[in-house]
Amino acid sequence: MAKIAFILLVHKDPKAIINQAQRLTAAGDYISIHFDARASKADYDMIRGALADNPAVTFSRRRIKCGWGEWSLVEGTLEAVKAAAEAFPRATHFYMVSGDCMSIKSAEFAHDFLDAEDVDYIESFDFFESDWIKTGFKEERLVYRHWFNERTQKRLFYTAFDIQKKLGLTRRIPDDLQIMIGSQWWCLRRRTIEWILDFATRRRDVMRFFRTTWIPDETFFQTLVRHMVPSEEIRARTLTFLMFTDYGMPVTFYNDHYDMLLSQDYLFARKISPEAHELKRRLGALYAAEGVEFKISNEGRSLFGFLTGRGRIGQRFAPRFWEAESTLGRERELLIVVAKKWHVGKRLLNRIRQVTNVPIIEYLFDEDSTPLPDLGGIQSTLEKRTRHRRALMRMLFDYFETDRLAIAMDPNNMDLLRDFYSDRSTTRLLEIESEFSDDWITGHAQRVGLAGERTPADAMERLLPTIRADFYFESDRIRDAGFENAEIMRESANPEENAVALAKFLSIPEERALEIARTEHLFAD
């Protein structure tokens, strides 16, 4: 059975460290602690004193002064790994954690999970080919030498970099290394750890290279594992659940995140708020529990993106020059059907085509598979369609040789609606107001990744009101915008009432509009 040696790098909160060590070792696992040499000696003495009688706890022989982005973080990790390898010969796996991490599964589940496959878990992607680095230095991390800390010695850091760049003082990456990159939160087998420690002793040239790279904790272990371990024995993922905001800051978890965390396909989570005492208590008890069944739905990231996205509604980048200067054409008329239930919007559009012969296009800005003619590639992806929306619509008018065109759109596309309404062409809007049952919202949440088939019922109950409120909010935004030529067709209204809205929207007699409004099963799910 798997036995885990946790590698813990910490620099503060001695009481939390003591609790974490006692909690993890109580389930039969081990822990090796590196306490930052910059931190308080009194705190370090407190930790050592409290854990002195615990045979499943060890400490690194050397304490390193650690700094973010520096080699010192890798050096401290290696010290803790060496101590663990020597002290715990029965450890089968070495799992890197921080003081902000907590288990989100039981020890029983974690051990069974690691026993299921004889593999290493570590993000390991090609440094140059992948898009793992989103902003800032990329190649510069490797080909220039970095002796100073960018956060605490900013002036020296950039002065040294500028001098090297000006003088062309770049260096070669060791010929036999393909640099890889990924998260520092890994879980490696004992054999792999022993190979790394042996490599660190033999290849001093590689160690010298990484000592002056920038942020080596994202490249050192990731590169070595990929060179030593067959690819079929590597799972390029972390077992620690973590998320980042749009500003690159880690998302913090609080008491009300308990159910969501348990449903993620991970063993640990980072980072837990110091104030989340109830969450820590429940997760701590969970690790020692037996016979717990976990329903994995894994919707955490999509749910976070959905909820946080509500705060940025209405923001829009400045229009491109080709957007600002282009127009659909003063004489043209764009008819937009807005419906949250796409199947209802599609049924209505097809009935409109049958009755009026107006060309229709379904959710072209929402659904990648929407059938479109070949327009030279501008129609090939949702990103291109949205970015070149006016040019795309003008080409569609030309393709169909018409001055009237009807499309369907999800109500969350507020920026598109504003943009089309600002054009010199005439824009008309018909919003379909539907009823949303709990079953339909549940299916919608699963389709868009906000929930999974195994999402716990109580978690779903809390999510349903949020999604329903968001639907109503989208509708309110459209009505508050005060768009001209805007009509509403309601599921709760009778066909005669809806025919009035349809007649105004399509500029047709009410008798013909009534044919459309009486479409059988128009609102059926």
Side-chain angles (χ1 to χ4, degrees):
M1 185 182 79
K3 291 185 76 68
I4 307 169
F6 291 100
I7 308 302
L8 177 64
L9 262 65
V10 283
H11 65 279
K12 62 179 181 179
D13 203 349
K15 292 182 180 179
I17 296 168
I18 294 167
N19 291 337
Q20 188 177 33
Q22 292 173 337
R23 183 170 54 247
L24 294 176
T25 57
D29 291 315
Y30 311 107
I31 190 166
S32 178
I33 301 172
H34 177 275
F35 194 71
D36 195 333
R38 298 181 191 275
S40 164
K41 183 180 184 300
D43 287 348
Y44 180 62
D45 292 340
M46 179 193 299
I47 297 168
R48 293 213 64 148
L51 301 174
D53 295 331
N54 190 331
V57 177
T58 191
F59 293 83
S60 58
R61 292 183 179 178
R62 294 171 57 230
R63 291 174 59 201
I64 309 298
K65 293 182 178 180
C66 296
W68 185 90
E70 295 179 6
W71 167 255
S72 55
L73 285 177
V74 177
E75 192 173 10
T77 303
L78 287 172
E79 288 295 325
V81 166
K82 290 175 188 176
E86 293 175 6
F88 311 126
R90 296 180 60 196
T92 61
H93 294 77
F94 294 71
Y95 194 132
M96 179 79 175
V97 293
S98 74
D100 296 322
C101 295
M102 283 200 71
S103 59
I104 55 174
K105 298 291 185 293
S106 64
E108 181 182 62
F109 182 97
H111 295 154
D112 290 343
F113 182 94
L114 295 176
D115 281 335
E117 286 192 284
D118 187 19
V119 296
D120 294 309
Y121 294 90
I122 183 169
E123 284 190 348
S124 181
F125 307 106
D126 187 277
F127 185 92
F128 295 100
E129 298 298 326
S130 71
D131 63 347
W132 203 86
I133 298 175
K134 302 297 183 184
T135 60
F137 283 178
K138 188 170 184 177
E139 182 182 20
E140 295 87 349
R141 291 191 186 191
L142 307 177
V143 300
Y144 295 105
R145 295 169 179 83
H146 302 279
W147 298 282
F148 306 103
N149 188 292
E150 192 269 345
R151 291 189 173 181
T152 60
Q153 301 167 298
K154 189 178 292 289
R155 186 172 180 179
L156 289 172
F157 179 91
Y158 286 106
T159 298
F161 168 72
D162 290 339
I163 291 172
Q164 292 178 80
K165 187 175 181 180
K166 185 176 181 179
L167 298 178
L169 299 177
T170 58
R171 59 176 175 175
R172 291 178 59 183
I173 297 169
D175 292 334
D176 58 345
L177 286 188
Q178 178 186 2
I179 304 298
M180 311 298 287
I181 192 167
S183 167
Q184 64 268 52
W185 311 112
W186 39 255
C187 179
L188 304 177
R189 295 167 295 175
R190 183 178 197 91
R191 183 187 65 179
T192 304
I193 286 294
E194 290 174 346
W195 285 348
I196 290 173
L197 293 177
D198 178 66
F199 182 94
T201 301
R202 291 186 296 103
R203 291 295 303 271
R204 308 311 300 176
D205 59 322
V206 174
M207 301 299 283
R208 283 193 299 271
F209 171 77
F210 278 108
R211 279 183 182 278
T212 51
T213 60
W214 181 232
I215 320 182
D217 53 310
E218 294 179 351
T219 55
F220 178 78
F221 291 97
Q222 296 76 2
T223 299
L224 267 58
V225 170
R226 186 61 70 172
H227 281 74
M228 297 174 177
V229 179
S231 59
E232 61 269 18
E233 295 181 20
I234 299 174
R235 298 292 177 266
R237 57 162 294 191
T238 174
L239 295 180
T240 298
F241 179 62
L242 66 162
M243 297 189 296
F244 292 90
T245 69
D246 289 349
Y247 303 99
M249 300 300 292
V251 173
T252 300
F253 300 113
Y254 297 93
N255 291 333
D256 56 349
H257 287 124
Y258 179 81
D259 291 323
M260 184 273 286
L261 290 174
L262 265 59
S263 68
Q264 304 312 304
D265 187 21
Y266 297 86
L267 303 184
F268 277 70
R270 183 180 187 273
K271 59 190 212 167
I272 309 298
S273 169
E275 287 76 37
H277 302 297
E278 178 64 12
L279 177 60
K280 288 183 176 183
R281 184 193 65 78
R282 297 177 74 184
L283 292 178
L286 176 69
Y287 194 66
E290 296 181 356
V292 180
E293 292 187 9
F294 296 90
K295 297 180 179 179
I296 310 297
S297 55
N298 219 32
E299 77 281 6
R301 286 189 173 84
S302 57
L303 180 59
F304 174 75
F306 167 76
L307 294 175
T308 57
R310 301 306 91 196
R312 297 192 302 276
I313 291 169
Q315 293 184 0
R316 183 174 184 273
F317 292 109
R320 310 280 186 175
F321 73 91
W322 37 261
E323 284 188 275
E325 297 301 323
S326 65
T327 177
L328 306 188
R330 190 183 300 276
E331 73 286 357
R332 287 172 168 165
E333 191 172 62
L334 178 62
L335 308 173
I336 304 177
V337 172
V338 173
K340 194 66 186 182
K341 291 187 175 180
W342 292 7
H343 58 283
V344 177
K346 291 177 181 181
R347 284 187 199 134
L348 181 64
L349 274 185
N350 281 286
R351 189 64 177 138
I352 288 173
R353 177 174 54 191
Q354 294 170 4
V355 173
T356 66
N357 289 323
V358 172
I360 64 133
I361 303 174
E362 297 173 354
Y363 289 80
L364 74 165
F365 296 110
D366 303 285
E367 199 168 28
D368 196 51
S369 60
T370 299
L372 289 170
D374 186 354
L375 302 174
I378 194 174
Q379 84 294 339
S380 59
T381 67
L382 286 175
E383 182 183 4
K384 286 185 178 180
R385 295 175 203 170
T386 303
R387 187 190 316 151
H388 306 288
R389 47 190 170 268
R390 291 199 192 183
L392 172 68
M393 294 309 302
R394 187 179 184 102
M395 294 171 76
L396 288 170
F397 274 106
D398 292 339
Y399 177 85
F400 288 109
E401 298 180 350
T402 182
D403 287 335
R404 299 188 85 206
L405 183 64
I407 66 173
M409 197 179 291
D410 191 279
N412 66 10
N413 291 311
M414 194 64 185
D415 58 339
L416 292 177
L417 291 175
R418 288 196 178 101
D419 196 35
F420 286 134
Y421 261 95
S422 67
D423 191 76
R424 290 197 293 268
S425 62
T426 299
T427 300
R428 296 184 181 276
L429 185 147
L430 177 68
E431 181 187 356
I432 301 179
E433 185 182 272
S434 296
E435 303 294 324
F436 301 108
S437 67
D438 286 354
D439 286 343
W440 187 87
I441 295 177
T442 299
H444 170 81
Q446 292 173 350
R447 285 190 294 274
V448 301
L450 296 177
E453 293 182 359
R454 292 183 288 179
T455 297
D458 55 346
M460 202 66 229
E461 288 178 6
R462 292 194 299 272
L463 184 58
L464 288 176
T466 302
I467 298 176
R468 180 178 279 108
D470 191 66
F471 292 164
Y472 295 143
F473 177 65
E474 289 175 346
S475 179
D476 287 342
R477 282 193 304 147
I478 292 173
R479 297 175 194 183
D480 291 343
F483 294 131
E484 295 181 0
N485 306 316
E487 307 295 334
I488 300 175
M489 185 174 174
R490 294 182 170 88
E491 182 176 357
S492 59
N494 59 47
E496 288 73 20
E497 291 171 325
N498 284 333
V500 175
L502 276 167
K504 293 179 181 178
F505 172 66
L506 296 170
S507 302
I508 59 175
E510 286 190 19
E511 308 86 68
R512 295 180 66 196
L514 191 57
E515 292 181 48
I516 301 172
R518 286 176 172 165
T519 300
E520 292 187 9
H521 312 299
L522 178 60
F523 293 98
D525 290 334

